[in-house]
Amino acid sequence: MNNVKKVKNTNRIVLLGAALLMATSAIGPGFLTQTTVFTETILASFGFDIFIVIPMSWLDGYMLLNGILNKE
């Protein structure tokens, strides 16, 4: 009886994994296409955002390393 439950559980996990793999592989091409179109359309603005975010990230890292900022 216990063995039958293990087999059913294993089958359920395998089916769930297969469903997630199929879902993520279907999302991929559309996501890449939309990202490319968005980046091409708003290129200058997108570049400016990246230009601003990188120094903010460096500052955050500097503050964390020196104990100025406490993130818990």
Side-chain angles (χ1 to χ4, degrees):
M1 185 73 170
N2 196 17
N3 211 11
V4 173
K5 282 187 177 182
K6 270 188 184 176
V7 170
K8 283 185 179 181
N9 240 357
T10 303
N11 286 344
R12 187 174 295 156
I13 291 170
V14 168
L15 287 174
L16 181 62
L20 288 173
L21 182 63
M22 288 174 57
T24 55
S25 63
I27 291 170
F31 176 76
L32 289 175
T33 303
Q34 286 301 96
T35 304
T36 305
V37 169
F38 173 76
T39 305
E40 186 178 324
T41 305
I42 312 177
L43 189 60
S45 176
F46 196 57
F48 180 73
D49 293 342
I50 292 172
F51 181 72
I52 293 300
V53 167
I54 289 174
M56 288 174 62
S57 175
W58 288 341
L59 181 64
D60 186 42
Y62 172 78
M63 292 172 72
L64 278 173
L65 285 175
N66 291 313
I68 300 169
L69 186 64
N70 260 341
K71 282 193 178 176
E72 294 179 13

Short mmCIF file of all heavy atoms in Angstrom, two decimals:
data_model
loop_
_atom_site.label_atom_id
_atom_site.label_comp_id
_atom_site.label_asym_id
_atom_site.label_seq_id
_atom_site.Cartn_x
_atom_site.Cartn_y
_atom_site.Cartn_z
N MET A 1 0.82 -1.20 0.00
CA MET A 1 0.00 0.00 0.00
C MET A 1 0.87 1.26 0.00
O MET A 1 0.60 2.19 -0.73
CB MET A 1 -0.92 -0.03 1.23
CG MET A 1 -1.90 1.10 1.27
SD MET A 1 -3.17 0.83 0.06
CE MET A 1 -4.30 2.07 0.49
N ASN A 2 1.90 1.28 0.84
CA ASN A 2 2.79 2.42 0.94
C ASN A 2 3.57 2.63 -0.36
O ASN A 2 3.86 3.75 -0.75
CB ASN A 2 3.74 2.24 2.12
CG ASN A 2 4.41 3.53 2.51
OD1 ASN A 2 3.97 4.61 2.11
ND2 ASN A 2 5.46 3.43 3.29
N ASN A 3 3.90 1.51 -1.01
CA ASN A 3 4.64 1.56 -2.27
C ASN A 3 3.81 2.22 -3.38
O ASN A 3 4.33 2.94 -4.22
CB ASN A 3 5.06 0.14 -2.66
CG ASN A 3 6.36 0.14 -3.45
OD1 ASN A 3 7.04 1.15 -3.52
ND2 ASN A 3 6.68 -1.01 -4.00
N VAL A 4 2.51 1.97 -3.37
CA VAL A 4 1.62 2.56 -4.37
C VAL A 4 1.57 4.08 -4.20
O VAL A 4 1.58 4.83 -5.18
CB VAL A 4 0.20 1.95 -4.26
CG1 VAL A 4 -0.77 2.66 -5.16
CG2 VAL A 4 0.24 0.46 -4.58
N LYS A 5 1.54 4.56 -2.96
CA LYS A 5 1.53 6.01 -2.71
C LYS A 5 2.82 6.65 -3.20
O LYS A 5 2.80 7.75 -3.74
CB LYS A 5 1.35 6.28 -1.22
CG LYS A 5 -0.05 6.12 -0.74
CD LYS A 5 -0.18 6.57 0.70
CE LYS A 5 -1.62 6.48 1.15
NZ LYS A 5 -1.79 6.94 2.53
N LYS A 6 3.96 5.97 -3.01
CA LYS A 6 5.25 6.50 -3.48
C LYS A 6 5.25 6.66 -4.99
O LYS A 6 5.71 7.66 -5.53
CB LYS A 6 6.39 5.58 -3.06
CG LYS A 6 7.00 5.90 -1.75
CD LYS A 6 8.25 5.05 -1.55
CE LYS A 6 8.82 5.31 -0.17
NZ LYS A 6 9.96 4.45 0.11
N VAL A 7 4.73 5.64 -5.69
CA VAL A 7 4.70 5.69 -7.16
C VAL A 7 3.79 6.82 -7.63
O VAL A 7 4.13 7.57 -8.54
CB VAL A 7 4.24 4.32 -7.73
CG1 VAL A 7 3.96 4.43 -9.21
CG2 VAL A 7 5.29 3.26 -7.46
N LYS A 8 2.63 6.99 -6.99
CA LYS A 8 1.72 8.07 -7.37
C LYS A 8 2.35 9.43 -7.11
O LYS A 8 2.23 10.35 -7.91
CB LYS A 8 0.41 7.94 -6.60
CG LYS A 8 -0.51 6.87 -7.12
CD LYS A 8 -1.84 6.90 -6.40
CE LYS A 8 -2.76 5.83 -6.97
NZ LYS A 8 -4.07 5.84 -6.31
N ASN A 9 3.04 9.56 -5.97
CA ASN A 9 3.72 10.81 -5.65
C ASN A 9 4.81 11.12 -6.66
O ASN A 9 4.96 12.25 -7.11
CB ASN A 9 4.32 10.73 -4.24
CG ASN A 9 3.76 11.79 -3.34
OD1 ASN A 9 2.97 12.62 -3.75
ND2 ASN A 9 4.20 11.75 -2.09
N THR A 10 5.59 10.11 -7.02
CA THR A 10 6.66 10.28 -8.00
C THR A 10 6.09 10.69 -9.35
O THR A 10 6.61 11.61 -10.01
CB THR A 10 7.48 8.99 -8.14
OG1 THR A 10 7.99 8.64 -6.85
CG2 THR A 10 8.63 9.17 -9.10
N ASN A 11 5.01 10.04 -9.76
CA ASN A 11 4.38 10.38 -11.04
C ASN A 11 3.86 11.81 -11.03
O ASN A 11 3.98 12.54 -12.02
CB ASN A 11 3.24 9.42 -11.35
CG ASN A 11 3.74 8.06 -11.79
OD1 ASN A 11 4.91 7.91 -12.15
ND2 ASN A 11 2.88 7.07 -11.74
N ARG A 12 3.30 12.22 -9.91
CA ARG A 12 2.76 13.58 -9.80
C ARG A 12 3.89 14.62 -9.91
O ARG A 12 3.76 15.63 -10.58
CB ARG A 12 2.04 13.73 -8.46
CG ARG A 12 1.30 15.04 -8.35
CD ARG A 12 0.47 15.10 -7.09
NE ARG A 12 -0.59 14.10 -7.18
CZ ARG A 12 -1.21 13.56 -6.13
NH1 ARG A 12 -0.88 13.93 -4.92
NH2 ARG A 12 -2.16 12.68 -6.30
N ILE A 13 5.01 14.34 -9.26
CA ILE A 13 6.14 15.26 -9.30
C ILE A 13 6.72 15.34 -10.71
O ILE A 13 7.05 16.43 -11.20
CB ILE A 13 7.22 14.82 -8.28
CG1 ILE A 13 6.71 15.06 -6.86
CG2 ILE A 13 8.52 15.58 -8.50
CD1 ILE A 13 7.58 14.46 -5.78
N VAL A 14 6.82 14.22 -11.38
CA VAL A 14 7.34 14.20 -12.75
C VAL A 14 6.42 14.98 -13.68
O VAL A 14 6.87 15.77 -14.52
CB VAL A 14 7.53 12.75 -13.23
CG1 VAL A 14 7.80 12.70 -14.73
CG2 VAL A 14 8.67 12.08 -12.48
N LEU A 15 5.11 14.79 -13.54
CA LEU A 15 4.16 15.52 -14.39
C LEU A 15 4.20 17.02 -14.11
O LEU A 15 4.13 17.84 -15.03
CB LEU A 15 2.74 14.98 -14.17
CG LEU A 15 2.47 13.61 -14.78
CD1 LEU A 15 1.08 13.12 -14.38
CD2 LEU A 15 2.58 13.66 -16.29
N LEU A 16 4.34 17.38 -12.85
CA LEU A 16 4.43 18.80 -12.50
C LEU A 16 5.70 19.42 -13.09
O LEU A 16 5.67 20.52 -13.65
CB LEU A 16 4.42 18.99 -10.98
CG LEU A 16 4.48 20.42 -10.48
CD1 LEU A 16 3.27 21.21 -10.94
CD2 LEU A 16 4.57 20.43 -8.96
N GLY A 17 6.81 18.71 -13.01
CA GLY A 17 8.05 19.19 -13.60
C GLY A 17 7.94 19.36 -15.10
O GLY A 17 8.42 20.35 -15.67
N ALA A 18 7.32 18.40 -15.75
CA ALA A 18 7.14 18.49 -17.21
C ALA A 18 6.25 19.66 -17.58
O ALA A 18 6.53 20.38 -18.55
CB ALA A 18 6.55 17.19 -17.74
N ALA A 19 5.19 19.89 -16.81
CA ALA A 19 4.30 21.02 -17.09
C ALA A 19 5.02 22.35 -16.92
O ALA A 19 4.87 23.26 -17.75
CB ALA A 19 3.08 20.95 -16.18
N LEU A 20 5.82 22.48 -15.86
CA LEU A 20 6.57 23.72 -15.66
C LEU A 20 7.61 23.94 -16.75
O LEU A 20 7.80 25.07 -17.22
CB LEU A 20 7.24 23.70 -14.29
CG LEU A 20 6.31 23.85 -13.09
CD1 LEU A 20 7.06 23.64 -11.79
CD2 LEU A 20 5.63 25.20 -13.10
N LEU A 21 8.27 22.88 -17.18
CA LEU A 21 9.25 22.99 -18.26
C LEU A 21 8.59 23.44 -19.55
O LEU A 21 9.10 24.32 -20.26
CB LEU A 21 9.97 21.67 -18.45
CG LEU A 21 11.06 21.63 -19.50
CD1 LEU A 21 12.19 22.58 -19.11
CD2 LEU A 21 11.59 20.23 -19.67
N MET A 22 7.43 22.87 -19.87
CA MET A 22 6.71 23.26 -21.08
C MET A 22 6.25 24.72 -20.99
O MET A 22 6.34 25.47 -21.96
CB MET A 22 5.51 22.34 -21.30
CG MET A 22 5.89 20.95 -21.75
SD MET A 22 4.49 19.83 -21.85
CE MET A 22 3.42 20.69 -22.97
N ALA A 23 5.78 25.13 -19.81
CA ALA A 23 5.29 26.50 -19.65
C ALA A 23 6.43 27.51 -19.81
O ALA A 23 6.28 28.52 -20.50
CB ALA A 23 4.63 26.66 -18.29
N THR A 24 7.57 27.24 -19.19
CA THR A 24 8.67 28.18 -19.28
C THR A 24 9.27 28.23 -20.68
O THR A 24 9.70 29.28 -21.14
CB THR A 24 9.77 27.86 -18.26
OG1 THR A 24 10.19 26.51 -18.43
CG2 THR A 24 9.29 28.07 -16.86
N SER A 25 9.29 27.11 -21.38
CA SER A 25 9.84 27.14 -22.74
C SER A 25 8.89 27.85 -23.69
O SER A 25 9.32 28.43 -24.68
CB SER A 25 10.13 25.72 -23.23
OG SER A 25 8.96 24.97 -23.32
N ALA A 26 7.60 27.86 -23.39
CA ALA A 26 6.65 28.59 -24.23
C ALA A 26 6.74 30.09 -23.98
O ALA A 26 6.51 30.90 -24.87
CB ALA A 26 5.23 28.09 -23.97
N ILE A 27 7.08 30.49 -22.77
CA ILE A 27 7.17 31.91 -22.42
C ILE A 27 8.41 32.54 -23.04
O ILE A 27 8.38 33.69 -23.47
CB ILE A 27 7.21 32.08 -20.88
CG1 ILE A 27 5.86 31.72 -20.29
CG2 ILE A 27 7.60 33.49 -20.49
CD1 ILE A 27 5.87 31.63 -18.79
N GLY A 28 9.51 31.82 -23.11
CA GLY A 28 10.81 32.34 -23.53
C GLY A 28 10.83 33.16 -24.80
O GLY A 28 11.24 34.33 -24.77
N PRO A 29 10.39 32.61 -25.94
CA PRO A 29 10.50 33.37 -27.20
C PRO A 29 9.69 34.67 -27.20
O PRO A 29 10.16 35.70 -27.67
CB PRO A 29 9.96 32.40 -28.25
CG PRO A 29 10.13 31.06 -27.65
CD PRO A 29 9.96 31.24 -26.18
N GLY A 30 8.50 34.64 -26.65
CA GLY A 30 7.68 35.85 -26.59
C GLY A 30 8.31 36.91 -25.71
O GLY A 30 8.31 38.10 -26.03
N PHE A 31 8.86 36.49 -24.59
CA PHE A 31 9.50 37.42 -23.67
C PHE A 31 10.70 38.08 -24.33
O PHE A 31 10.90 39.29 -24.23
CB PHE A 31 9.93 36.68 -22.39
CG PHE A 31 10.68 37.54 -21.43
CD1 PHE A 31 10.02 38.47 -20.66
CD2 PHE A 31 12.06 37.42 -21.31
CE1 PHE A 31 10.70 39.28 -19.77
CE2 PHE A 31 12.75 38.22 -20.42
CZ PHE A 31 12.08 39.14 -19.66
N LEU A 32 11.52 37.29 -25.02
CA LEU A 32 12.69 37.84 -25.69
C LEU A 32 12.29 38.82 -26.78
O LEU A 32 12.91 39.88 -26.94
CB LEU A 32 13.55 36.72 -26.27
CG LEU A 32 14.29 35.87 -25.23
CD1 LEU A 32 15.00 34.73 -25.92
CD2 LEU A 32 15.26 36.71 -24.45
N THR A 33 11.25 38.48 -27.54
CA THR A 33 10.79 39.36 -28.62
C THR A 33 10.29 40.68 -28.05
O THR A 33 10.65 41.76 -28.54
CB THR A 33 9.68 38.69 -29.43
OG1 THR A 33 10.16 37.46 -29.92
CG2 THR A 33 9.23 39.56 -30.57
N GLN A 34 9.47 40.62 -27.00
CA GLN A 34 8.93 41.83 -26.41
C GLN A 34 10.04 42.70 -25.79
O GLN A 34 10.00 43.92 -25.89
CB GLN A 34 7.89 41.49 -25.35
CG GLN A 34 6.58 41.02 -25.94
CD GLN A 34 5.96 42.06 -26.84
OE1 GLN A 34 6.13 42.03 -28.05
NE2 GLN A 34 5.25 43.00 -26.26
N THR A 35 11.02 42.06 -25.17
CA THR A 35 12.13 42.80 -24.58
C THR A 35 12.92 43.52 -25.66
O THR A 35 13.31 44.68 -25.50
CB THR A 35 13.05 41.84 -23.79
OG1 THR A 35 12.27 41.17 -22.82
CG2 THR A 35 14.17 42.60 -23.12
N THR A 36 13.14 42.85 -26.78
CA THR A 36 13.87 43.46 -27.88
C THR A 36 13.12 44.65 -28.45
O THR A 36 13.71 45.71 -28.68
CB THR A 36 14.12 42.42 -28.99
OG1 THR A 36 14.77 41.29 -28.43
CG2 THR A 36 14.93 42.99 -30.11
N VAL A 37 11.82 44.50 -28.66
CA VAL A 37 11.01 45.60 -29.19
C VAL A 37 11.00 46.77 -28.22
O VAL A 37 11.17 47.93 -28.61
CB VAL A 37 9.57 45.11 -29.48
CG1 VAL A 37 8.64 46.28 -29.79
CG2 VAL A 37 9.57 44.12 -30.63
N PHE A 38 10.82 46.48 -26.93
CA PHE A 38 10.81 47.54 -25.92
C PHE A 38 12.13 48.29 -25.89
O PHE A 38 12.17 49.51 -25.86
CB PHE A 38 10.51 46.93 -24.55
CG PHE A 38 10.63 47.90 -23.41
CD1 PHE A 38 9.65 48.84 -23.18
CD2 PHE A 38 11.75 47.88 -22.59
CE1 PHE A 38 9.76 49.74 -22.13
CE2 PHE A 38 11.87 48.77 -21.55
CZ PHE A 38 10.87 49.70 -21.32
N THR A 39 13.23 47.54 -25.90
CA THR A 39 14.55 48.16 -25.84
C THR A 39 14.82 49.00 -27.08
O THR A 39 15.39 50.10 -26.99
CB THR A 39 15.64 47.08 -25.69
OG1 THR A 39 15.33 46.29 -24.56
CG2 THR A 39 17.01 47.70 -25.51
N GLU A 40 14.40 48.52 -28.23
CA GLU A 40 14.62 49.27 -29.47
C GLU A 40 13.79 50.54 -29.50
O GLU A 40 14.25 51.59 -29.95
CB GLU A 40 14.26 48.39 -30.67
CG GLU A 40 14.57 49.00 -32.00
CD GLU A 40 14.24 48.07 -33.15
OE1 GLU A 40 14.42 46.85 -32.99
OE2 GLU A 40 13.79 48.58 -34.19
N THR A 41 12.56 50.47 -28.99
CA THR A 41 11.66 51.62 -29.01
C THR A 41 12.10 52.71 -28.04
O THR A 41 12.08 53.89 -28.36
CB THR A 41 10.23 51.17 -28.65
OG1 THR A 41 9.85 50.13 -29.53
CG2 THR A 41 9.26 52.31 -28.77
N ILE A 42 12.51 52.33 -26.85
CA ILE A 42 12.82 53.29 -25.80
C ILE A 42 14.31 53.23 -25.46
O ILE A 42 14.69 53.24 -24.29
CB ILE A 42 11.95 53.01 -24.57
CG1 ILE A 42 10.50 52.82 -24.96
CG2 ILE A 42 12.06 54.13 -23.55
CD1 ILE A 42 9.58 52.48 -23.84
N LEU A 43 15.14 53.17 -26.45
CA LEU A 43 16.57 52.94 -26.25
C LEU A 43 17.24 54.02 -25.41
O LEU A 43 17.94 53.72 -24.44
CB LEU A 43 17.28 52.80 -27.60
CG LEU A 43 18.72 52.33 -27.55
CD1 LEU A 43 18.81 50.97 -26.90
CD2 LEU A 43 19.31 52.29 -28.95
N ALA A 44 17.04 55.27 -25.73
CA ALA A 44 17.73 56.35 -25.01
C ALA A 44 17.30 56.40 -23.56
O ALA A 44 18.12 56.52 -22.65
CB ALA A 44 17.46 57.68 -25.69
N SER A 45 16.02 56.29 -23.32
CA SER A 45 15.51 56.33 -21.96
C SER A 45 16.00 55.13 -21.16
O SER A 45 16.35 55.24 -19.99
CB SER A 45 13.98 56.36 -21.98
OG SER A 45 13.48 56.32 -20.68
N PHE A 46 16.00 53.97 -21.80
CA PHE A 46 16.45 52.75 -21.15
C PHE A 46 17.92 52.85 -20.78
O PHE A 46 18.32 52.47 -19.68
CB PHE A 46 16.19 51.57 -22.10
CG PHE A 46 16.25 50.22 -21.47
CD1 PHE A 46 15.43 49.91 -20.40
CD2 PHE A 46 17.12 49.26 -21.93
CE1 PHE A 46 15.46 48.65 -19.82
CE2 PHE A 46 17.17 48.00 -21.36
CZ PHE A 46 16.33 47.71 -20.30
N GLY A 47 18.72 53.38 -21.66
CA GLY A 47 20.14 53.56 -21.39
C GLY A 47 20.38 54.52 -20.24
O GLY A 47 21.26 54.31 -19.41
N PHE A 48 19.59 55.57 -20.17
CA PHE A 48 19.72 56.53 -19.08
C PHE A 48 19.40 55.88 -17.74
O PHE A 48 20.08 56.12 -16.74
CB PHE A 48 18.80 57.74 -19.32
CG PHE A 48 18.88 58.77 -18.24
CD1 PHE A 48 19.99 59.59 -18.13
CD2 PHE A 48 17.84 58.91 -17.33
CE1 PHE A 48 20.07 60.54 -17.12
CE2 PHE A 48 17.92 59.86 -16.32
CZ PHE A 48 19.04 60.68 -16.23
N ASP A 49 18.36 55.05 -17.72
CA ASP A 49 18.00 54.34 -16.48
C ASP A 49 19.14 53.45 -16.00
O ASP A 49 19.46 53.42 -14.82
CB ASP A 49 16.74 53.50 -16.68
CG ASP A 49 15.51 54.36 -16.91
OD1 ASP A 49 15.56 55.55 -16.58
OD2 ASP A 49 14.50 53.83 -17.41
N ILE A 50 19.74 52.73 -16.92
CA ILE A 50 20.86 51.86 -16.56
C ILE A 50 22.03 52.71 -16.06
O ILE A 50 22.68 52.37 -15.08
CB ILE A 50 21.28 50.98 -17.75
CG1 ILE A 50 20.18 49.97 -18.06
CG2 ILE A 50 22.60 50.27 -17.49
CD1 ILE A 50 20.40 49.18 -19.32
N PHE A 51 22.26 53.83 -16.73
CA PHE A 51 23.35 54.74 -16.35
C PHE A 51 23.16 55.26 -14.92
O PHE A 51 24.12 55.45 -14.18
CB PHE A 51 23.40 55.91 -17.35
CG PHE A 51 24.48 56.89 -17.07
CD1 PHE A 51 25.81 56.56 -17.31
CD2 PHE A 51 24.17 58.15 -16.60
CE1 PHE A 51 26.82 57.48 -17.06
CE2 PHE A 51 25.18 59.08 -16.34
CZ PHE A 51 26.51 58.73 -16.58
N ILE A 52 21.93 55.48 -14.50
CA ILE A 52 21.63 55.97 -13.16
C ILE A 52 21.66 54.84 -12.13
O ILE A 52 22.15 55.02 -11.01
CB ILE A 52 20.25 56.68 -13.13
CG1 ILE A 52 20.31 57.95 -13.97
CG2 ILE A 52 19.80 56.98 -11.72
CD1 ILE A 52 21.31 58.97 -13.49
N VAL A 53 21.17 53.66 -12.48
CA VAL A 53 21.04 52.56 -11.52
C VAL A 53 22.40 51.97 -11.14
O VAL A 53 22.60 51.58 -9.98
CB VAL A 53 20.10 51.47 -12.08
CG1 VAL A 53 20.20 50.20 -11.29
CG2 VAL A 53 18.67 51.98 -12.08
N ILE A 54 23.34 51.91 -12.05
CA ILE A 54 24.65 51.30 -11.75
C ILE A 54 25.38 52.05 -10.63
O ILE A 54 25.80 51.43 -9.66
CB ILE A 54 25.49 51.16 -13.03
CG1 ILE A 54 24.90 50.06 -13.91
CG2 ILE A 54 26.95 50.84 -12.69
CD1 ILE A 54 25.56 49.92 -15.25
N PRO A 55 25.51 53.36 -10.69
CA PRO A 55 26.16 54.05 -9.55
C PRO A 55 25.39 53.89 -8.24
O PRO A 55 25.98 53.79 -7.17
CB PRO A 55 26.21 55.51 -9.97
CG PRO A 55 26.11 55.49 -11.44
CD PRO A 55 25.29 54.30 -11.78
N MET A 56 24.06 53.84 -8.30
CA MET A 56 23.26 53.63 -7.10
C MET A 56 23.57 52.27 -6.49
O MET A 56 23.66 52.12 -5.27
CB MET A 56 21.77 53.75 -7.41
CG MET A 56 21.32 55.17 -7.69
SD MET A 56 19.61 55.29 -8.24
CE MET A 56 18.75 54.65 -6.84
N SER A 57 23.73 51.27 -7.34
CA SER A 57 24.07 49.93 -6.87
C SER A 57 25.45 49.91 -6.23
O SER A 57 25.66 49.28 -5.18
CB SER A 57 24.01 48.95 -8.04
OG SER A 57 24.44 47.69 -7.66
N TRP A 58 26.41 50.58 -6.85
CA TRP A 58 27.76 50.66 -6.28
C TRP A 58 27.74 51.36 -4.92
O TRP A 58 28.39 50.93 -3.97
CB TRP A 58 28.70 51.40 -7.21
CG TRP A 58 29.07 50.62 -8.44
CD1 TRP A 58 28.97 49.28 -8.63
CD2 TRP A 58 29.60 51.15 -9.65
NE1 TRP A 58 29.41 48.95 -9.88
CE2 TRP A 58 29.80 50.08 -10.53
CE3 TRP A 58 29.92 52.43 -10.07
CZ2 TRP A 58 30.31 50.23 -11.80
CZ3 TRP A 58 30.43 52.59 -11.34
CH2 TRP A 58 30.62 51.51 -12.19
N LEU A 59 26.98 52.44 -4.83
CA LEU A 59 26.88 53.17 -3.57
C LEU A 59 26.26 52.29 -2.48
O LEU A 59 26.72 52.28 -1.34
CB LEU A 59 26.06 54.45 -3.76
CG LEU A 59 25.88 55.33 -2.53
CD1 LEU A 59 27.24 55.87 -2.08
CD2 LEU A 59 24.93 56.47 -2.84
N ASP A 60 25.23 51.56 -2.83
CA ASP A 60 24.59 50.66 -1.89
C ASP A 60 25.58 49.59 -1.40
O ASP A 60 25.66 49.31 -0.20
CB ASP A 60 23.38 49.99 -2.55
CG ASP A 60 22.60 49.14 -1.57
OD1 ASP A 60 22.40 49.59 -0.43
OD2 ASP A 60 22.17 48.04 -1.97
N GLY A 61 26.35 49.02 -2.30
CA GLY A 61 27.36 48.04 -1.92
C GLY A 61 28.43 48.63 -1.03
O GLY A 61 28.84 48.02 -0.04
N TYR A 62 28.86 49.84 -1.34
CA TYR A 62 29.86 50.53 -0.53
C TYR A 62 29.33 50.77 0.88
O TYR A 62 30.02 50.54 1.87
CB TYR A 62 30.24 51.86 -1.19
CG TYR A 62 31.13 52.73 -0.34
CD1 TYR A 62 32.49 52.47 -0.25
CD2 TYR A 62 30.61 53.80 0.37
CE1 TYR A 62 33.31 53.26 0.54
CE2 TYR A 62 31.41 54.59 1.16
CZ TYR A 62 32.77 54.31 1.24
OH TYR A 62 33.57 55.08 2.02
N MET A 63 28.09 51.22 0.97
CA MET A 63 27.50 51.50 2.27
C MET A 63 27.31 50.23 3.08
O MET A 63 27.49 50.24 4.30
CB MET A 63 26.18 52.26 2.09
CG MET A 63 26.38 53.67 1.54
SD MET A 63 24.84 54.49 1.11
CE MET A 63 24.16 54.81 2.71
N LEU A 64 26.96 49.15 2.44
CA LEU A 64 26.81 47.87 3.14
C LEU A 64 28.15 47.38 3.67
O LEU A 64 28.25 46.92 4.80
CB LEU A 64 26.20 46.81 2.22
CG LEU A 64 24.69 46.84 2.08
CD1 LEU A 64 24.26 45.86 1.00
CD2 LEU A 64 24.02 46.51 3.38
N LEU A 65 29.19 47.47 2.85
CA LEU A 65 30.50 46.98 3.27
C LEU A 65 31.07 47.79 4.43
O LEU A 65 31.78 47.27 5.27
CB LEU A 65 31.47 47.01 2.09
CG LEU A 65 31.28 45.93 1.04
CD1 LEU A 65 32.23 46.16 -0.13
CD2 LEU A 65 31.51 44.55 1.64
N ASN A 66 30.78 49.06 4.46
CA ASN A 66 31.32 49.92 5.50
C ASN A 66 30.40 50.08 6.71
O ASN A 66 30.66 50.89 7.58
CB ASN A 66 31.67 51.29 4.92
CG ASN A 66 32.84 51.18 3.96
OD1 ASN A 66 33.84 50.56 4.29
ND2 ASN A 66 32.70 51.76 2.79
N GLY A 67 29.32 49.35 6.75
CA GLY A 67 28.42 49.39 7.90
C GLY A 67 27.58 50.63 8.01
O GLY A 67 26.98 50.88 9.04
N ILE A 68 27.53 51.42 6.96
CA ILE A 68 26.72 52.65 6.99
C ILE A 68 25.24 52.29 6.86
O ILE A 68 24.38 52.94 7.46
CB ILE A 68 27.14 53.61 5.85
CG1 ILE A 68 28.61 53.99 6.03
CG2 ILE A 68 26.26 54.84 5.81
CD1 ILE A 68 29.21 54.71 4.86
N LEU A 69 24.95 51.26 6.11
CA LEU A 69 23.59 50.84 5.85
C LEU A 69 23.37 49.46 6.43
O LEU A 69 24.18 48.56 6.20
CB LEU A 69 23.35 50.83 4.32
CG LEU A 69 21.98 50.55 3.81
CD1 LEU A 69 21.02 51.67 4.25
CD2 LEU A 69 21.99 50.49 2.30
N ASN A 70 22.33 49.25 7.17
CA ASN A 70 22.03 47.95 7.75
C ASN A 70 20.86 47.31 7.03
O ASN A 70 19.74 47.82 7.07
CB ASN A 70 21.66 48.09 9.24
CG ASN A 70 22.81 47.76 10.15
OD1 ASN A 70 23.75 47.12 9.74
ND2 ASN A 70 22.73 48.24 11.37
N LYS A 71 21.12 46.21 6.35
CA LYS A 71 20.04 45.45 5.71
C LYS A 71 19.94 44.13 6.44
O LYS A 71 20.90 43.39 6.53
CB LYS A 71 20.34 45.21 4.23
CG LYS A 71 20.08 46.41 3.36
CD LYS A 71 20.08 46.02 1.92
CE LYS A 71 19.78 47.21 1.06
NZ LYS A 71 19.85 46.92 -0.35
N GLU A 72 18.77 43.86 6.96
CA GLU A 72 18.58 42.61 7.68
C GLU A 72 17.60 41.73 6.99
O GLU A 72 16.67 42.07 6.44
CB GLU A 72 18.14 42.88 9.11
CG GLU A 72 19.22 43.57 9.90
CD GLU A 72 18.77 43.87 11.32
OE1 GLU A 72 17.75 43.35 11.75
OE2 GLU A 72 19.45 44.65 11.97
#
